[in-house]
Amino acid sequence: MSGMHSITLGHYLPGNSLLHRFDPRAKLLSLLIIITALFLVNTFNGMLFFVFFLLVAFFSTNLPWRYFLRGLKPVLYIVFFTLVIHVLFTKGGQVFWRFGMLTIEERGVYLGLFMTLRLILLVIATLLVTLTTTPIAFADGIEFLLRPLRFLKVPGHEIAMMMTIALRFIPTLMEESDKIRKAQMARGADFESGNVFRRAHSLVPLLVPLFVSAFRRADDLAVAMESRCYHGGENRTKMRQQQITALDYLGVLTACGIAVAIVFTGV
Amino acid sequence: MLIETRGLSHTYMPGTPFQVEALKRVTMSISAGEFVGIIGETGSGKSTLVQHFNGLLKPTGGEVLFEGNNIWTGEMNLRGLRSRVALLFQFPEHQLFEETVFADVSFGPRNLGLGGRELDERVRFGLEAMGLDFSAFKDRSPFQLSGGEKRRVAMAGILAMRPQVVILDEPTAGMDPRGRRQFMEQVSRLHREERLTVILVTHNMEEVARLAERLFVFYHGEMLLQGRPADVFGADSLIKDTGLEIPPLSELLQRLRRQGKGVRTDIFTVNEAAQEVLQLYRKECV
Ligand SMILES: Nc1ncnc2c1ncn2[C@@H]1O[C@H](COP(=O)(O)OP(=O)(O)OP(=O)(O)O)[C@@H](O)[C@H]1O
Ligand SMILES: [Mg+2]
């Protein structure tokens, strides 16, 4: 139960901060710029600037920090794994510790910490965007960013629509799987004990009804869309017309400025 | 007492901005062999409550007891408990997954370790208790049945575990009136003949007033009222404050009573009410 709802990645929290009001297109563009910069920076000082910048951004949003930290939980394993791999296998510099074949060396510790920090900052930046943007606005932003690729025949609108639908149905399907799991547990199903094969087998009573219901929902949705004469992106207008304001330009410029400054002073 | 709760509270997603206090300090008890109804407007916590009775949800406050033992202290085998306290979820037809009706109905008993003749008999009992012919249905695919038949098969799967208690969460929602009546008649017969304890969650006031011996009324996660249907739906009851309506028959009899006519108001079947009104007619108009 609690496991189901601890996945907050992309779970929008309503609010009225500057980041909440930031135009989704501008917000996504800024996120792209910041992420690129995060990949380019390769000094600790540069990273510290990012830490400072993201902290300021975080506090400006008034998001509850507990909730925010929970969103970081799913990536902690990857972060930990990265750290361990670097510390154990990257060689160079002073040797801190030796045990048979294994050594821990200066360069490994340095790179490990650096990569870890980079990963965490990447997730924080992304969370700051997904937690302050409604899924619909998010998809609108994606569609906008994919527009230049139209000439390569990338179906921007369709991709955005698929994303919206997928995002919309994640909570529904989680609820559904929770319900089916409980219904089968009420019939004595055991999802927890036994070896890998037994456990995989015990998932059948969960997965079959889940797929049946997902297909039923998909079918219903397709009928509903068709009966409203939905057709793809060409000439389609939007209910919520987003107006880019001076503030949004300023936001993107700030992101650019910070990125350029950090990358060029840090390198 | 068979099932008891003491100060039971449940909060969904505590510590997040989405936290919901679904149950607040509920203390209630249900005896073996009873037929009780649980009513309350939508979102009042009924489904949350009944999922505590067989340990599908863990209380965030207070305790749940089965035959006097706290079900969460570790000595209780939760899977064993679930075979004795069976729960039929809302829209149970969505849980069907096997290729044949037989395989699906036998899922519960198989999880109890049964096989062979015993298994056959359990499945037969379940299907026939729900008015489905064993040999006609056992080899059909559950996905090709009608909605009402699917629901009976799901119920048969619960009954095949031979539970002491069945909890039914809105079992007849979305069924046609005749199917609904038949379904409830079969449940009611199991209650009378097999001394099955029934806990019925429903929005159908007429049905629950007619069938249940005792009612619990929920409102915003609290248990506001409990008692016999006649008291809960009685003239001076608080029931209207909880967003529920009293059954039309009760409304009629109570109005007559308010006009000074000597009619009984603890009647919930059309036949008895007709008798009562006829008597009144003979007394006053002939
Ligand atoms: N899995 C869940 N996660 C979070 N909140 C939930 C969950 N299930 C129920 N709730 C909330 O708890 C409250 C009680 O819900 P519950 O399902 O127990 O009501 P109910 O009385 O069964 O309603 P209905 O008559 O509509 O079935 C509601 O406010 C609901 O939104
Ligand atoms: Mg419910």
Side-chain angles (χ1 to χ4, degrees), chain B residues 46-47 90 169-170:
Chain B
K46 306 179 297 292
S47 301
Q90 222 164 335
D169 195 347
E170 297 182 38

Side-chain angles (χ1 to χ4, degrees), chain A residues 1 5 8 11-14 64 66-67 70 176 178-191 193 198 202 204-210 212-213 216-217, chain B residues 12-18 51 54-57 79 82-83 85-87 89-92 94-98 104-109 111-112 143 154 157-158 161:
Chain A
M1 176 84 242
H5 295 279
T8 57
H11 215 177
Y12 169 67
L13 272 188
R66 257 175 217 275
Y67 187 73
R70 249 189 229 204
E176 190 93 6
D178 191 44
K179 212 189 110 180
I180 296 170
R181 196 174 54 92
K182 281 186 188 158
Q184 306 300 24
M185 277 165 73
R187 294 208 277 165
D190 182 1
F191 296 117
S193 53
R198 263 194 75 94
S202 75
V204 172
L206 180 63
L207 293 180
V208 172
L210 196 60
V212 170
S213 115
R216 193 184 48 233
R217 277 179 203 286
Chain B
Y12 283 108
M13 298 183 272
T16 70
F18 304 106
Q51 288 173 51
N54 67 350
L56 282 175
L57 285 180
R79 285 222 291 153
R82 286 179 195 141
S83 69
V85 183
L87 171 59
F89 272 88
Q90 222 164 335
F91 299 109
H94 296 168
Q95 69 184 34
L96 302 174
F97 69 98
E98 286 280 13
D104 211 289
V105 174
S106 68
F107 180 66
N111 283 329
L112 296 176
F143 295 102
I158 296 287
M161 294 196 294

Side-chain angles (χ1 to χ4, degrees), chain A residues 23-26 28 133-147 156-157 159-161 163-164 167 236-242:
Chain A
D23 183 276
R25 292 165 286 185
L28 276 177
T133 316
T134 64
I136 294 187
F138 195 86
D140 272 356
I142 296 277
E143 185 175 349
F144 175 78
L145 291 186
L146 289 174
R147 279 243 292 261
H157 174 79
I159 290 176
M161 183 49 116
M163 272 187 54
T164 317
L167 286 174
R236 209 178 151 73
T237 55
K238 292 205 185 316
M239 187 168 115
R240 267 171 293 259
Q241 289 288 349
Q242 300 273 4

